[in-house]
Structures are given as structure tokens and as C-alpha cells.
């Protein structure tokens, strides 16, 4: 398994002399000693992806300080989990990262299975991996479309939603729900794949690869997009890691770390032949580029898994009323948004004693006060779009 | 980073190695240690919480902060009438318990740090919090602990020394109480039993209603 | 208009005004949680295109919107913002409550921070149950709302008389 860099190095970007003149005007603003302005973005704002409130202090167009105020979607998952049984919690945790719902269930179910010392049969693990990667593709297709929208192009958003429909069709055929599938059970899955799924999945993956090429043509190659995103919002690797930034955001800063390969083995990633994509720059463009490559990589992984799908049952033998033995388990996985982890404390009851949910976007957004200093207001929107957080994931 | 070769350490070997390094650095500050499915779980003395963070970051090489939170080990008070047969809420233990790597207080801090440079390397740290409800802040070591500690303060009431500004993160400013404490009641459950308890409801205007009308 | 507020507007005029209003609903561009994604799929996806029903989802400002769709969980922290946004919309305005979180608190009915149903703060015209409701269900709600608007009594609305909400 190797890491890959963008081919041919970084393209040249011409600095427009008119832009330099604009910068000179900005400096004059500061010399005139105009006061600071406090701008409140949100909690309702088309650019904040949900109910995030960002209070920024501006000097002209430049951000001096930024303070994200979260909690507008706080539903109290950790408290609710203490009053529910394990299958009920599985239904609930789908809705943390509501775009890639299947991926949220997997670490929790693995933690419960580890405590019960039950292993899901190989076919179930393969199907879980396929559905997780399908969720990843669905999330990233939306991201690819929607970051274009935030930067100012409407067309990628329509492409993103259109191509997402194919993947959601597949997830719905297998699980019954477009998202929020609630398909995992302790010990396996609720059902097997339907007839015709494999052939349909193969043709959808071909469509996904084609649409990634379209995004590359339409968005990545666009000089306006490049000027809006290159060198905007650079996260240094060490600082990002100490803030807890994870997933594609950290890989876009050059850190070669992917929990599917570098964490304790989970699901069937060890059997597949796949690459981890990194980019040395760490700016918004590299975050977009890394996710584009990861979408392609997920499609390739799914094709491998479809070829290698084992036969057998999809559910291990578990008792009807599930009582998980006493103990603690910590499982973290590479979710589309980053590292998601569950620390489950069980006291032998039908429900857990304490569940600590570590969600990726919480840490990704905590770097915003540092990241937004010194950038312009339109860059704030670009940075928010490129970090790609989901409010349910931040607020839990 | 090199590819996985035959000499690369396994998950539990890395765990033991991390534990050995922490032992060498912290020595007496480690009160208890355990291994949880290959991960080292280390309970440190309350005054060594920040030292443990520095040790993890510099000696063990864990540059990535996963989370900082807490656990309330007190059993939750029983709601509703146990004789009513309400099976919706899972039964909880009746007396205060402890978890992996022990503990002696009601509240315990819980944190996890990982390494992005060497695979499988992570450490789970625990620390008792006494009734004064104060602990050392990790913000100087891992800047990302800022928000985690704000959340822990808000949910449990544990104050962190050295934190730049402990203020509400999730809850509105007027919110009273610390929700994740076990004695914080979920009022909706107390007022009304879980509506899903009944498997099959009678149709409105059906036999049930006719009986009630008679 | 003086005709409408005094109740003397002729029926054909009412019909015409309702007809033009129902086919040019401007929907406030806002979503809270997972239901917003289904709403987005209905709006932006070519599969469930909602613009063919006349609903234009473009206004980012409530001051130019007729319709607001509360799609997602309403928390106690967010409730004052929703109320303020609703009050910023000019009359006649309609509210669709989409998803079980907005209808009644949904799966978070026992949470300490969730408002159990947005009808505690806003008057709702159409409820759409589901978690999340499919885009087709959302479009059914739009169609239902359009029927309500067509049969609406404008003078009564002007005088502030409330109507019973409908459920998809």
C-alpha cells in the first residue's frame, strides 16, 4: 500500500496585478483606523451547512478573531444512550453524521460485539464494508457538489445530488432506507443483499467513476475554483493533529494516516488492495482533491469486494434479548468525516452504562478560531466548505 | 511512513511498548494500569494529569488528541415504578461501580490520544476527580482539548485549571445543571412512560373506545 | 388591499389570487438536520425536482419567502432563532413541519435539549411524518399545501382566523 501525490507538481497561478492593487487599498483601510465590526454568520446561513453560528470580528474584510458557537443541534446523544437498549441506540446513532449514516453504526456495533465476544460472519463483514464505502461515496459526492456551490458555482451541486441518487438507490435496495438504514445488528446484519444487487452495484460504480471525472473537469480544472481555494486555510500537520483534526482534512496536510490501514484491523480493509491519498499543501484545494481521489478509491474497493464476496450467513448466533457483559470497549474507525470513536462502558445490562461518542467534526471545527485569523470573509465560506463538517456530528 | 513489513510491530506489542515508555517517564504517578483489547489503559494520580499528557505527547509520540471526557460512576436513580414492569429503560447497577483500571471516586476523567506517525499506537488515560471537581487542563499540551474540556465542564461540572475560558459549548447560557451526571433526570421519561411500550394499540373509535364510553 | 381586508373581494378574484400564489411559492432556503438532506434532494435533485411544482427554493432571506420548511430537530437553543425568522417573513406565510423531530420531538422525545415539536412555537400548516420522510412525501406535502392555498379564504386569513393543519 503506497501513498500518492498529485501528478506533475502544482500548477502555476498567475497573480493578477489588479488584485495587488486591491490589497493596497485594504491596507489604506487599516491606516484610516476604521473600527472593528462584529459579523454574525448563522445560525441560519446558506454557507454554514446547518446551524453553526460563527461570530467573527472583522477589520474591513479581514477576520481578526472568530468564535464558532455550536450547540444548536445538540440532542444529548450520550445521555439518551444511557436510557436505551443497544438496538435502540443503533437506530439513534445513525443520525449523528446524517449523510453517511451506515458508517456511524459500525464502530458502536463492533464495540458491543467485542464485549459480547461475538464475531460477525465474513459475509456480514464484507457487506458492512461495502455499505460503509457506499456511504462514503454518497457523502463525498455531496461534498464535491456542494463545495462548488459554496465557492459560487451552482452546477456541481446538481451533479452531486444527481449522482448521489444512484448510490442511495443501492443503499435503499439493500437496507430499506435511503439514509438512516439501521441495518447493523449485534452479530451481523438484519438481512442479506437482495437479488441483482451485485450487478447493479457494478454499474453504479462505473457511473461514480465517470462522475468523478466530470467533477475533475468541471471544478478542479476551473481557474476560478483554483484561485478561490489554493493557499486558503492551510492547516499545518502537527497543529492539526494536536487539535484532533482527522480524516481527509489531515491527509490533505500531508499526514499519511488512515485508520482503515493504521488502526486495529476492522472490517475487511486488510484483504483489499488500496491506496491512501495525501496531498502536501494543506489548503482548501488539497482537501477537495483528496476527497475526490478517495471517492474513486472507494469505488475501486467496492468492485474488489463484489468480486470477493464470500457466501454464508449474515448473522451470528446471538440470544434474543441481548445483554452485553460487563466491560469497556473503545473502537475507532475511519468515517467519511474523520475519526469516529465510541467508548462503551457496559455493566451487564441490556443497555450501556456510559457511551462516549467521539465525533470527527467536533475536533475539525475546533480549529476554526485558529484557522480563520487573517483571512477574508469570502475565504471563511471556502474554508467552512472544505473542512466539511456535519452539524449533527459536531453537536451530537 | 514505510509499508507494513514482516518486522512491523503488532497492535499489542505497540501497546506494551507505549506502556513501558509511560512507566519509565511517569513512574509513581501511574496508579493502575490495564490492557483493554490491546490498548494500554493507564490511571494516573490527579496531580499528574497534565504530566501524563506531556509524557504521551513527547515520550510515547502520541501527537493526536482523540477526546477528553469523563465518566460518572454513580448508578442512575430508578425512575418510575419498578413493579409496573416498565422494561423500556435498561436496568442499571444498584451501587457505585468502577471500570477498567479501577477508580475510587464518583467522577473519572477519560481521555484518549493516538499517534499519526506509528500505527496502532494509542493510550487511554483515566484519572480520578475528587469532590473539589477540579482538574488540570490539557490546553497547553493539546490545543484541541479546549473544546473537549468545555464540554466536560458543561456536562459534568468538572472545572479545569489553566483553561482560557470555561464557558458553555452546547447548552444555552441559561441552562441549569450538568446533564450527563447520573442524578440529572430526563424529565420527559419521568412524566410519561415510553410510548413505545405498548406493542399494539386499539384503533380510535374501536372496541376500547366503546368500552370506555359505556 | 381594501377589498380583501373588508371581505368584499369577489370569488373569482380570490380564486385567481390563490391560484397564482400556490404556484409561485418561494421557499426559504433553510434546513436543520437530516430531513434537510431529503429536502435538498427534493429541491436540487433532478429526480424529485420540486421546481416543477412552482416552488423556488432560492431566497436566502426570510423577507422574500412565502414558505418555510422546518426540516430537522429543533433544539431549545435554536427555537428563538426560528421564531425570529418566522416573524421576519411577510404574510401570507406557510409552514411545513417535516420529519418526526419537527412534528413531536421524534426519536429525541426524552432529550433535555430538544423542543418536542416545533408546533410549540409556530403555527403549522402541514405535517410530514417520517424519519426522514422520502422526497416524494415532501412533495406530497407541497401538493397538499397548494390545495389548501387554493381553497383558502383570504378574508378569513386576513382577519387572523386559524385553520386546522393537515397531515400527509
Amino acid at each position: 500500500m503506497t501513498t500518492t501525490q498529485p501528478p506533475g507538481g502544482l500548477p502555476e497561478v498567475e497573480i493578477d496585478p489588479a488584485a495587488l492593487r486591491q490589497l493596497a487599498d485594504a491596507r489604506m483601510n487599516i491606516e484610516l483606523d476604521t473600527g472593528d465590526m462584529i459579523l454574525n454568520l448563522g445560525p441560519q446561513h446558506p454557507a454554514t451547512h446547518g446551524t453553526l453560528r460563527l461570530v467573527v470580528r472583522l477589520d474591513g474584510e479581514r477576520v481578526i478573531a472568530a468564535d464558532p458557537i455550536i450547540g444548536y443541534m445538540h440532542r444529548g446523544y450520550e445521555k439518551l444512550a444511557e436510557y436505551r437498549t443497544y438496538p435502540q441506540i443503533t437506530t439513534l446513532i445513525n443520525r449523528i453524521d446524517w449523510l453517511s449514516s451506515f458508517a456511524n453504526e459500525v464502530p458502536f456495533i463492533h464495540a458491543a460485539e467485542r464485549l459480547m465476544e461475538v464475531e460477525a460472519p465474513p459475509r456480514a463483514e464484507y457487506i458492512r464494508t461495502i455499505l460503509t464505502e457506499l456511504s462514503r461515496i454518497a457523502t463525498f459526492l455531496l461534498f464535491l457538489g456542494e463545495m462548488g456551490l459554496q465557492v459560487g458555482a451552482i452546477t456541481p451541486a446538481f451533479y452531486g445530488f444527481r449522482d448521489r441518487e444512484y448510490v442511495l438507490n443501492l443503499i435503499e435496495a439493500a437496507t430499506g432506507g435511503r439514509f438512516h438504514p439501521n441495518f447493523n445488528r449485534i452479530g451481523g446484519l438484519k438481512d442479506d443483499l437482495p437479488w441483482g444487487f451485485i450487478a447493479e452495484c457494478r454499474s453504479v460504480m462505473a457511473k461514480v467513476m465517470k462522475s468523478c471525472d466530470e467533477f475533475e473537469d468541471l471544478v478542479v480544472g476551473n481557474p476560478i475554483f483554483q484561485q478561490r481555494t489554493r493557499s486558503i486555510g492551510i492547516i499545518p500537520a502537527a497543529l492539526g493533529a494536536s487539535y484532533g483534526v482527522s480524516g481527509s482534512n489531515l491527509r490533505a496536510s500531508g499526514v499519511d494516516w488512515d485508520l482503515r490501514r493504521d488502526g486495529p484491523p476492522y472490517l475487511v480493509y486488510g484483504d483489499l488492495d488500496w491506496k491512501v491519498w495525501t496531498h502536501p499543501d494543506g489548503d482548501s484545494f488539497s482537501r477537495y482533491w483528496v476527497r475526490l481521489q478517495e471517492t474513486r478509491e472507494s469505488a475501486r474497493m467496492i468492485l474488489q469486494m463484489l468480486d470477493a464476496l464470500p457466501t454464508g450467513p449474515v448473522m451470528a448466533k446471538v440470544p434474543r434479548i441481548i445483554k452485553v457483559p460487563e466491560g469497556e470497549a473503545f473502537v475507532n474507525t475511519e468515517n467519511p468525516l474523520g475519526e469516529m470513536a465510541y467508548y462503551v462502558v457496559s455493566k451487564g445490562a441490556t443497555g450501556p452504562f456510559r457511551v462516549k461518542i467521539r465525533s470527527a467534526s467536533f475536533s475539525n471545527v475546533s480549529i476554526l478560531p485558529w484557522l480563520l485569523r487573517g483571512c477574508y470573509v469570502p475565504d471563511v465560506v471556502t474554508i467552512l466548505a472544505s473542512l466539511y463538517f456535519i452539524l449533527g456530528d459536531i453537536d451530537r | 511512513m514505510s509499508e507494513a513489513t514482516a518486522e512491523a510491530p503488532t497492535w499489542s506489542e505497540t501497546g506494551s511498548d507505549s506502556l513501558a515508555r509511560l512507566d519509565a517517564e511517569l513512574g509513581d504517578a501511574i496508579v493502575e494500569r490495564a490492557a483493554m483489547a490491546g490498548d494500554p489503559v493507564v490511571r494516573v494520580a490527579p496531580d499528574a494529569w497534565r504530566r501524563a499528557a506531556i509524557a504521551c505527547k513527547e515520550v510515547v509520540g502520541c501527537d493526536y488528541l482523540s477526546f477528553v471526557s469523563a465518566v460518572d460512576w454513580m448508578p442512575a436513580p430508578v425512575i418510575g415504578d419498578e413493579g409496573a414492569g416498565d422494561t423500556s429503560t435498561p436496568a442499571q447497577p444498584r451501587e457505585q461501580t468502577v471500570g477498567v483500571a479501577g477508580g475510587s471516586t464518583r467522577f473519572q476523567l477519560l481521555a484518549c490520544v493516538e499517534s499519526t506517525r506509528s500505527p496502532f499506537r494509542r493510550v487511554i488515560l483515566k484519572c480520578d476527580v475528587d469532590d473539589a471537581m477540579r482538574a488540570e487542563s490539557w490546553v497547553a499540551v493539546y490545543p484541541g482539548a479546549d473544546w473537549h474540556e468545555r464540554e466536560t465542564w458543561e456536562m459534568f461540572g468538572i472545572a479545569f485549571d489553566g483553561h482560557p475560558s470555561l464557558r458553555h459549548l452546547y447548552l444555552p447560557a441559561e441552562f441549569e445543571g450538568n446533564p450527563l451526571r447520573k442524578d440529572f433526570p430526563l424529565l420527559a421519561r419521568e412524566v410519561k412512560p415510553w410510548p413505545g411500550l405498548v406493542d399494539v394499540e386499539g384503533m380510535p373509535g374501536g372496541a376500547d373506545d366503546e368500552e370506555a364510553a359505556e | 388591499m381594501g377589498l380583501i381586508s373588508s371581505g368584499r373581494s369577489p370569488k373569482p378574484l380570490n380564486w385567481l389570487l390563490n391560484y397564482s400564489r400556490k404556484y409561485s411559492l418561494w421557499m426559504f432556503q433553510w434546513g436543520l438536520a437530516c430531513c434537510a438532506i431529503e429536502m435538498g434532494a427534493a429541491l436540487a435533485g433532478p429526480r424529485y425536482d420540486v421546481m416543477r411544482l412552482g416552488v423556488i427554493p432560492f431566497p436566502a432571506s426570510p423577507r422574500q419567502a412565502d414558505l418555510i420548511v422546518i426540516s430537522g430537530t429543533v433544539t431549545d437553543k435554536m427555537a428563538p432563532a426560528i421564531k425570529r425568522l418566522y416573524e421576519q417573513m411577510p404574510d401570507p406565510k406557510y409552514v411545513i413541519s417535516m420529519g418526526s423531530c419537527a412534528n413531536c420531538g421524534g426519536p429525541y422525545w426524552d432529550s433535555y435539549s430538544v423542543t418536542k415539536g416545533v408546533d410549540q412555537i409556530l403555527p403549522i400548516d402541514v405535517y410530514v411524518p417520517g424519519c426522514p420522510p422520502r422526497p416524494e412525501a415532501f412533495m406530497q406535502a407541497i401538493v397538499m399545501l397548494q390545495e389548501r392555498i387554493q381553497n383558502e379564504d383570504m378574508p378569513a386569513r386576513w382577519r387572523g382566523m386559524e385553520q386546522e393543519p393537515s397531515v400527509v
Side-chain angles (χ1 to χ4, degrees):
Chain A
M1 296 179 206
T2 53
T3 64
T4 349
Q5 306 282 321
L10 304 171
E12 301 224 313
V13 175
E14 266 187 13
I15 309 275
D16 180 20
L20 284 178
R21 252 175 273 130
Q22 215 174 11
L23 221 56
D25 287 341
R27 204 177 297 130
M28 188 151 83
N29 252 344
I30 299 175
E31 286 165 359
L32 286 175
D33 193 23
T34 52
D36 292 342
M37 178 176 120
I38 298 197
L39 181 70
N40 192 18
L41 282 146
Q44 179 278 327
H45 196 275
T48 57
H49 303 250
T51 53
L52 172 72
R53 182 170 164 210
L54 198 56
V55 179
V56 293
R57 177 181 229 107
L58 298 174
D59 178 13
E61 280 268 318
R62 265 195 191 282
V63 174
I64 305 175
D67 182 25
I69 299 184
I70 61 177
Y72 290 95
M73 192 44 66
H74 178 64
R75 298 174 275 199
Y77 268 92
E78 298 179 5
K79 183 79 176 178
L80 293 181
E82 292 170 10
Y83 287 82
R84 280 165 170 70
T85 61
Y86 285 89
Q88 290 173 337
I89 298 179
T90 313
T91 317
L92 210 60
I93 56 180
N94 269 319
R95 291 147 172 88
I96 296 182
D97 167 12
W98 51 66
L99 281 178
S100 52
S101 319
F102 191 85
N104 297 329
E105 303 175 15
V106 168
F108 181 75
I109 291 290
H110 274 187
E113 285 177 354
R114 184 186 294 172
L115 286 171
M116 285 193 70
E117 289 168 13
V118 159
E119 257 196 44
R123 186 176 171 87
E125 290 285 331
Y126 264 82
I127 299 178
R128 275 183 186 163
T129 320
I130 291 177
L131 287 171
T132 307
E133 291 305 311
L134 279 176
S135 309
R136 195 183 306 266
I137 294 179
T139 314
F140 282 170
L141 280 175
L142 186 73
F143 163 78
L144 295 173
E146 184 232 2
M147 178 152 174
L149 180 65
Q150 300 298 333
V151 167
I154 303 189
T155 313
F158 293 125
Y159 282 20
F161 271 106
R162 176 198 68 188
D163 298 321
R164 212 174 107 85
E165 290 291 329
Y166 294 120
V167 179
L168 289 182
N169 245 4
L170 277 179
I171 299 182
E172 191 189 1
T175 68
R178 280 155 58 95
F179 36 101
H180 304 333
N182 188 20
F183 200 53
N184 269 311
R185 300 283 180 270
I186 297 186
L189 296 168
K190 176 172 169 284
D191 248 326
D192 207 336
L193 292 175
W195 189 257
F197 182 88
I198 296 182
E200 181 71 25
C201 199
R202 286 212 173 95
S203 72
V204 170
M205 289 304 111
K207 285 202 185 87
V208 165
M209 297 293 267
K210 191 161 137 310
S211 93
C212 283
D213 292 336
E214 275 180 4
F215 278 114
E216 187 140 32
D217 244 347
L218 185 67
V219 184
V220 171
N222 189 327
I224 302 180
F225 183 79
Q226 297 229 349
Q227 279 200 325
R228 279 296 297 269
T229 54
R230 288 235 183 240
S231 309
I232 304 291
I234 298 182
I235 300 182
L239 189 80
S242 65
Y243 265 95
V245 174
S246 57
S248 317
N249 295 325
L250 203 60
R251 282 195 285 281
S253 297
V255 177
D256 181 15
W257 187 56
D258 188 323
L259 280 169
R260 293 175 282 181
R261 180 196 61 189
D262 300 327
Y266 76 101
L267 293 180
V268 300
Y269 295 109
D271 298 342
L272 304 173
D273 177 28
W274 58 286
K275 301 198 244 303
V276 173
W277 294 83
T278 62
H279 195 289
D281 278 349
D283 56 14
S284 305
F285 178 79
S286 47
R287 292 191 272 274
Y288 190 93
W289 187 89
V290 166
R291 288 195 180 98
L292 181 65
Q293 307 307 326
E294 286 182 357
T295 313
R296 289 196 177 116
E297 198 64 39
S298 291
R300 284 184 217 121
M301 276 200 258
I302 292 182
L303 288 172
Q304 290 177 37
M305 282 189 275
L306 290 174
D307 289 333
L309 195 62
T311 51
V314 288
M315 187 77 178
K317 288 240 176 320
V318 287
R320 198 166 157 266
I321 308 268
I322 301 226
K323 275 195 154 79
V324 174
E326 202 165 317
E328 295 177 14
F330 177 70
V331 176
N332 60 350
T333 54
E334 182 76 27
N335 270 29
L337 295 179
E339 180 212 2
M340 181 171 214
Y342 287 84
Y343 193 96
V344 180
V345 177
S346 161
K347 288 289 160 200
T350 50
F353 183 75
R354 163 103 169 96
V355 177
K356 161 69 190 167
I357 307 173
R358 191 266 181 204
S359 49
S361 307
F362 183 72
S363 307
N364 288 350
V365 171
S366 68
I367 201 175
L368 276 181
W370 183 89
L371 195 57
L372 290 179
R373 291 171 320 178
C375 69
Y376 287 115
V377 171
D379 297 337
V380 170
V381 177
T382 313
I383 292 175
L384 289 177
S386 72
L387 277 182
Y388 200 42
F389 46 84
I390 298 287
L391 259 300
D393 210 33
I394 304 180
D395 288 345
R396 279 178 264 116
Chain B
M1 213 202 67
S2 60
E3 295 186 27
T5 57
E7 299 91 35
T10 64
W11 181 22
S12 22
E13 280 172 22
T14 315
S16 324
D17 176 56
S18 312
L19 202 52
R21 292 191 202 186
L22 276 178
D23 262 334
E25 174 73 13
L26 291 174
D28 274 340
I30 298 186
V31 176
E32 208 174 310
R33 59 182 69 73
M36 193 172 80
D39 291 326
V41 182
V42 168
R43 183 159 70 97
V44 295
D47 55 358
W49 183 237
R50 188 180 296 148
R51 267 181 57 209
I54 299 176
C56 284
K57 189 161 190 192
E58 276 152 32
V59 171
V60 184
C62 291
D63 53 343
Y64 172 88
L65 173 73
S66 187
F67 69 89
V68 177
S69 184
V71 184
D72 180 355
W73 288 108
M74 187 181 99
V78 180
I79 51 174
D81 185 8
E82 271 199 58
D86 178 3
T87 54
S88 64
T89 312
Q92 297 294 348
R94 286 282 155 259
E95 66 277 325
Q96 185 158 323
T97 45
V98 294
V100 172
S104 53
T105 53
R106 178 181 161 191
F107 290 99
Q108 237 184 14
L109 285 176
L110 177 69
C112 176
V113 290
E114 298 169 30
S115 166
T116 59
R117 289 186 291 256
S118 44
F120 306 157
R121 193 180 285 282
R122 67 180 180 217
V123 182
I124 297 177
L125 292 158
K126 288 194 181 189
C127 170
D128 287 340
V129 176
D130 58 12
D131 291 329
M133 299 292 271
R134 298 200 77 86
E136 291 169 348
S137 165
W138 276 16
V139 176
V141 187
Y142 293 101
D146 182 351
W147 276 26
H148 291 274
E149 286 171 1
R150 269 171 73 185
E151 185 199 345
T152 312
W153 169 76
E154 162 177 73
M155 292 287 154
F156 289 94
I158 302 174
F160 288 89
D161 295 324
H163 192 279
S165 67
L166 270 182
R167 53 200 163 103
H168 276 288
L169 188 69
Y170 280 150
L171 303 170
E174 316 83 50
F175 197 93
E176 284 166 17
N178 303 102
L180 273 177
R181 289 195 183 186
K182 291 287 186 183
D183 46 5
F184 183 92
L186 277 187
L187 292 173
R189 276 206 185 239
E190 291 193 6
V191 163
K192 177 176 171 167
W194 182 50
L197 200 55
V198 177
D199 248 347
V200 177
E201 253 180 38
M203 289 300 287
D208 295 339
D209 274 2
E210 282 176 16
E211 275 179 24
E214 277 171 22
Chain C
M1 285 173 60
L3 274 178
I4 294 185
S5 58
S6 59
R8 283 184 286 118
S9 58
K11 275 216 161 45
L13 183 64
N14 272 349
W15 185 92
L16 182 65
L17 288 174
N18 286 348
Y19 183 87
S20 34
R21 273 190 309 120
K22 86 174 184 188
Y23 280 138
S24 69
L25 284 169
W26 275 41
M27 198 174 98
F28 184 32
Q29 199 186 85
W30 187 44
L32 287 167
C34 350
C35 287
I37 310 297
E38 286 294 45
M39 192 175 72
L43 268 42
R47 195 176 178 187
Y48 310 104
D49 183 20
V50 88
M51 278 206 229
R52 56 193 158 112
L53 300 174
V55 176
I56 316 279
F58 284 146
S61 154
R63 301 217 182 260
Q64 295 161 355
D66 305 300
L67 171 65
I68 188 171
V69 177
I70 314 287
S71 50
T73 321
V74 179
T75 55
D76 291 337
K77 197 170 178 180
M78 189 68 192
I82 298 181
K83 183 84 181 144
R84 180 185 277 194
L85 285 168
Y86 176 74
E87 284 165 2
Q88 282 181 347
M89 284 167 69
D91 258 336
K93 51 193 172 186
Y94 304 96
V95 184
I96 294 182
S97 161
M98 179 177 176
S100 34
C101 289
N103 290 346
C104 61
Y108 312 102
W109 64 278
D110 52 348
S111 170
Y112 50 84
S113 61
V114 168
T115 308
K116 322 288 187 286
V118 77
D119 48 7
Q120 292 185 22
I121 45 178
L122 302 180
I124 308 287
D125 288 300
V126 183
Y127 291 92
V128 190
C131 192
R134 288 187 61 100
E136 288 102 331
F138 175 61
M139 288 174 55
Q140 165 83 348
I142 301 269
V143 170
M144 253 183 157
L145 182 66
Q146 287 178 336
E147 282 170 26
R148 277 170 69 93
I149 297 177
Q150 182 66 72
N151 301 327
E152 197 171 41
D153 189 3
M154 272 303 275
R157 194 192 171 90
W158 188 268
R159 276 180 251 125
M161 283 156 61
E162 287 191 17
Q163 261 186 304
E164 279 291 310
S166 352
V167 181
V168 167

